[in-house]
């Protein structure tokens, strides 16, 4: 669930009574004033912009703690791209066949955890913040509700560095696992997002579907399991997580997504058609997901959704110096970040 689900549908700090007109106005103001950028990396000090919805260019992570690939999809994406020549594709193959009803965004990771003596109880995934949060009234009630929904959720909302995390294997919606020495599909019969993964990580047959989505393919008690609810229920018990050893020669592929959090429009969409501005997500406070060890000593990877002021972006021209850019595939603007020039220094 994480923090996005914690206050989705609850009162935002500035409202005492839900007002749909006020919420809609706030959402429209955010969309007009900010542009979404997604960055990822091995830690918060080494983040790179991701080409969202580009299936064939996952970001590679290669650190002392983790080696693998990260792909991010956002339904209706219209934000910043890593390559200024790439128009922002509104959707990916991932959202085909009505899957956007289940996921408005997706963080998909495939890789190997490095480190001795790791167990499923050591690897945590969720939201981390760098400063104290302005919690709304009755937030304790929502915390109680979320702990009932996710029994593995660890909340620390009132500290100077708040967090809302869960054991990775107990919280992601889809999870596949295989020995890295096994081989799966042939190159020409799998989605092209997995071409690099095939060459380097050798996925087992059945780990992905034809749209490039991770499938549930995880053994429980020596029996192959294809039911994510059964796997998540199994790892609710700390004793089961502590018994599951995470080895360096094993590859994990997992997908974390949400049907409620619309990061592209910076709002929460509830089943009853309520739309609220996302709490704790603005230009000064990014929405950050981290995968860390429980003791915080090692970080495996980071994915960060950021709001960039629209005044610092511009629509790109379709041609530059007589050379045409790539043709737009949707009606969205292609944008690039405008950083201020470096300060002038007189040459010696």
């Amino acid at each position: 669930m994480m923090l996005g689900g914690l206050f989705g549908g609850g009162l935002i700090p500035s409202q005492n009574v839900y007002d749909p007109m006020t919420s809609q106005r706030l959402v429209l103001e955010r969309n007009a004033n900010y542009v979404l950028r997604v960055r990822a990396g091995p830690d918060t000090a080494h983040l790179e912009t991701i080409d969202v919805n580009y299936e064939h260019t996952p970001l590679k992570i290669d650190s002392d703690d983790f080696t693998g690939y990260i792909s991010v999809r956002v339904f209706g994406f219209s934000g910043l791209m890593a390559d200024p020549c790439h128009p922002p594709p509104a959707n990916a193959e991932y959202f085909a066949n009505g899957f956007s009803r289940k996921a408005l965004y997706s963080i998909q990771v495939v890789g190997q955890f490095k480190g001795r003596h790791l167990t499923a109880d050591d690897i945590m995934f969720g939201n981390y913040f760098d400063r104290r949060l302005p919690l709304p009234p009755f937030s304790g009630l929502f915390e109680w509700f979320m702990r009932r929904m996710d029994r593995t959720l660890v909340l620390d909302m009132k500290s100077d560095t708040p967090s809302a995390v869960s054991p990775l294997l107990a919280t992601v919606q889809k999870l596949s696992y295989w020995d890295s020495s096994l081989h799966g599909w042939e190159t020409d019969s799998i989605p092209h997002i997995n071409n690099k993964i095939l060459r380097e990580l050798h996925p087992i047959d059945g780990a992905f579907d034809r749209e490039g989505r991770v499938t549930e393919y995880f053994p429980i008690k020596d029996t192959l399991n294809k039911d994510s609810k059964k796997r998540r229920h199994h790892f609710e018990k700390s004793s089961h997580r502590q018994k599951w050893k995470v080895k360096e020669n094993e590859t994990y592929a997992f997908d974390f997504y949400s049907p409620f959090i619309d990061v592209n429009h910076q709002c929460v969409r509830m089943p009853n058609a309520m739309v609220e501005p996302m709490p704790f997500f603005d230009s000064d406070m990014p929405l950050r997901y981290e995968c860390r060890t429980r003791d915080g000593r090692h970080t495996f990877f980071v994915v960060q959704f950021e709001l960039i002021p629209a005044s610092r972006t511009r629509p790109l021209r379709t041609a530059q110096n007589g050379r045409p850019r790539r043709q737009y595939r949707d009606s969205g603007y292609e944008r690039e970040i405008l950083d201020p020039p470096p300060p002038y220094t007189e040459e010696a």
Side-chain angles (χ1 to χ4, degrees):
M1 290 289 183
M2 306 306 163
L3 193 59
L6 180 61
F7 296 106
L11 302 179
I12 61 176
S14 60
Q15 288 181 240
N16 293 323
V17 178
Y18 176 71
D19 180 0
M21 297 301 295
T22 300
S23 295
Q24 186 70 18
R25 177 179 56 79
L26 292 174
V27 170
L28 291 175
E29 287 179 356
R30 279 193 179 186
N31 292 337
N33 295 329
Y34 296 99
V35 177
L36 179 65
R37 178 174 68 179
V38 184
R39 295 196 296 163
D43 53 53
T44 55
H46 302 88
L47 297 179
E48 300 179 29
T49 302
I50 283 186
D51 276 334
V52 176
N53 291 350
Y54 266 79
E55 303 285 358
H56 56 287
T57 56
L59 178 68
K60 183 175 183 179
I61 303 293
D62 191 3
S63 68
D64 294 336
D65 298 305
F66 183 81
T67 296
Y69 290 96
I70 297 178
S71 301
V72 176
R73 289 91 162 211
V74 176
F75 186 71
F77 180 70
S78 59
L80 297 168
M81 303 293 285
D83 186 347
C85 292
H86 283 178
N91 296 312
E93 295 178 15
Y94 177 92
F95 297 108
N97 302 321
F99 198 75
S100 60
R101 292 191 296 269
K102 296 182 179 180
L104 291 175
Y105 76 98
S106 159
I107 299 173
Q108 182 170 293
V109 182
V110 184
Q112 301 161 352
F113 294 93
K114 302 176 182 178
R116 298 178 180 178
H117 312 300
L118 283 176
T119 69
D121 196 51
D122 296 321
I123 302 175
M124 307 296 287
F125 178 74
N127 299 112
Y128 292 86
F129 297 86
D130 295 326
R131 58 185 174 88
R132 184 177 291 272
L133 298 177
L135 297 177
F138 310 110
S139 59
L141 178 61
F142 289 102
E143 291 184 23
W144 175 85
F145 175 76
M146 290 309 300
R147 286 194 175 98
R148 297 285 294 179
M149 295 292 293
D150 183 355
R151 298 181 184 276
T152 64
L153 186 64
V154 180
L155 290 173
D156 182 17
M157 303 304 299
K158 298 180 180 179
S159 70
D160 292 334
T161 55
S163 61
V165 299
S166 300
L168 178 72
L169 272 60
T171 193
V172 294
Q173 282 84 348
K174 297 295 182 181
L175 177 66
S176 288
Y177 150 89
W178 63 88
D179 187 292
S180 304
S181 62
L182 298 178
H183 293 258
W185 289 313
E186 297 297 329
T187 304
D188 58 355
S189 65
I190 64 171
H192 43 215
I193 185 176
N194 297 321
N195 284 350
K196 293 181 179 180
I197 297 171
L198 176 79
R199 290 194 296 269
E200 297 187 18
L201 302 180
H202 312 301
I204 194 171
D205 188 14
F208 299 90
D209 64 16
R210 295 299 170 178
E211 283 74 33
R213 296 188 289 256
V214 174
T215 60
E216 186 70 23
Y217 199 90
F218 196 86
I220 295 178
K221 296 180 179 180
D222 299 326
T223 302
L224 179 62
N225 171 60
K226 295 187 178 181
D227 185 350
S228 61
K229 292 183 179 179
K230 184 177 179 180
R231 181 256 307 163
R232 295 168 75 176
H233 178 72
H234 175 78
F235 283 116
E236 280 185 356
K237 295 185 178 181
S238 59
S239 59
H240 290 169
R241 298 195 302 269
Q242 292 166 1
K243 289 179 181 179
W244 183 269
K245 307 299 181 182
V246 179
K247 303 175 183 177
E248 293 188 9
N249 65 334
E250 298 169 342
T251 301
Y252 291 81
F254 52 89
D255 192 2
F256 178 80
Y257 52 82
S258 171
F260 306 120
I261 309 302
D262 185 349
V263 292
N264 188 60
H265 296 98
Q266 306 106 51
C267 65
V268 180
R269 300 183 182 274
M270 303 304 294
N272 57 4
M274 287 174 54
V275 177
E276 292 189 11
M278 281 185 62
F280 317 132
F281 183 35
D282 54 40
S283 58
D284 297 322
M285 184 179 292
L287 178 63
R288 187 170 74 240
Y289 290 91
E290 293 190 39
C291 186
R292 298 182 182 178
T293 53
R294 186 180 288 269
D295 59 14
R297 295 181 179 180
H298 300 276
T299 299
F300 301 107
F301 59 85
V302 178
V303 177
Q304 183 163 286
F305 297 88
E306 306 168 339
L307 295 181
I308 304 299
S311 59
R312 297 186 61 209
T313 67
R314 68 182 179 191
L316 293 180
R317 293 172 295 180
T318 57
Q320 185 177 17
N321 299 328
R323 293 176 294 179
R325 296 280 184 95
R326 296 189 183 190
Q327 184 178 4
Y328 284 359
R329 295 190 293 179
D330 66 353
S331 60
Y333 281 115
E334 181 184 7
R335 299 172 181 269
E336 68 179 358
I337 193 73
L338 292 179
D339 291 319
Y344 172 78
T345 56
E346 185 176 356
E347 296 182 358

